Amino acid sequence: MATDDFEFDTRAIRAGTARTPFNEHSEALFLTSSFVFDSAAQAAARFAGSEEGFVYSRFSNPTVRMFEQRLASLEGGEDCLATSSGMAAILATCLATLRAGDHVLCAANVFGATVQLFSGVLARFGIETTFVTATDPSAWRAASTPKTKLLFCETPSNPLMEVVDLQAFAAAGKAVGALTVVDNCFCTPALQRPLEFGVDLVIHSATKYLDGQGRVLGGAIVGRRELIRDAVLPVLRTTGPSLSPFNAWVALKGLETLGLRMRAQSDAALALARWLTARPEVERVCFPGLESHPQYALAQRQQSGPGTVVSFEVRGDSPSERRARAWRVIDAVKLMSITANLGDTRTTITHPATTTHGRLSAEARERAGIGEGLIRIAVGLEAIEDLTRDLTQALAT
Ligand SMILES: *Cc1c(COP(=O)(O)O)cnc(C)c1O
């Protein structure tokens, strides 16, 4: 069924569906590692790629393919490849597009493991990375060298919800002749579609909002067919960080409610951010849906919703007092889960300075604005009244 003309919410439910001769209504889960051929000649043709069809689930699998095609449709990309996790998607993208001697520009405020991948792992293979202040659109060109091959960012960022200008980012990549890659984990295509701004590749951690219920790990890479099929697929087939069919099936079903969930969680996050702004215990609130956010106008332009993550800083006279207060608030919540994960229907609360960003030096955290009093909440689908009630009693401790 051609679904390209349908609206987002319809494609989230219908795109990519492929039925077996049983004509099952709900998408089938193909738990099989390999596929049977009619003849030796067909086996040879499948392996050579001269005949379309499944061979081995490290290469592809019908359930995985449904997930890939549905996500490609939602991002507005020509093709998609699924991976075992979000980090596997970033690694596969780098292995497919970089070689020793190349230079990467990466936003300084990306996911912690992404920083480690570029500055630690890839550095050992002769790929050098410069971290830039991504909220400054001129920073990309200023930091580029003739060896710059890849520009990487995430928007909004974790945990401060800083917004990167995607149009300027894509333009900078074109100007310096480098590939542009956006980790679209926080907004998902329900709220932001980087490919529409001219970005080359979109990365996903399906572990977060695509599944949406905190059940499975998964990842994906979306973009032009020639990049996905000719560059990324051979690397993925050979190196093996493929998505399990079971995890693909879970994430595929998760996509069906993506628009609904993201709009509801985004609305609830805005309500919570406004509520926090009025609390005397709170020093500042970081949320792109608030007019006080430095990139409010940009977020309004490039996102169709502010997202679901709200960070705020509790007051205190010294860093140690702010940390003690933040920990007291976190320890006092009764409803929210104390976990660093996000993208779940369950609201989560965490202290970035001692968890997700605990491995950064105190100076690096200071520079990034991730203070000891900062608390991050990823808003789920519980009733907003219960969330504010939970925080009221927690802030009062
Ligand atoms: C979680 C996360 C990742 C990594 O995803 P995994 O599925 O855990 O490997 C990458 N980027 C962002 C923004 C994330 O939140």
Side-chain angles (χ1 to χ4, degrees), residues 85-88 90 111 114 154 183 185-186 205 207-208 217-218 342:
S85 69
M87 288 319 300
I90 301 174
F111 189 64
T114 307
E154 196 178 299
D183 181 335
C185 175
F186 267 51
S205 167
T207 316
K208 311 294 168 53
L217 283 170
L342 54 88

Side-chain angles (χ1 to χ4, degrees), residues 318-353:
S318 65
S320 60
E321 189 185 326
R322 287 193 288 275
R323 176 190 290 198
R325 286 211 174 144
W327 278 24
R328 271 207 302 278
V329 171
I330 292 169
D331 287 344
V333 295
K334 296 192 169 82
L335 171 62
M336 299 180 186
S337 316
I338 308 176
T339 169
N341 195 31
L342 54 88
D344 201 311
T345 50
R346 281 157 284 256
T347 297
T348 65
I349 186 165
T350 193
H351 184 244

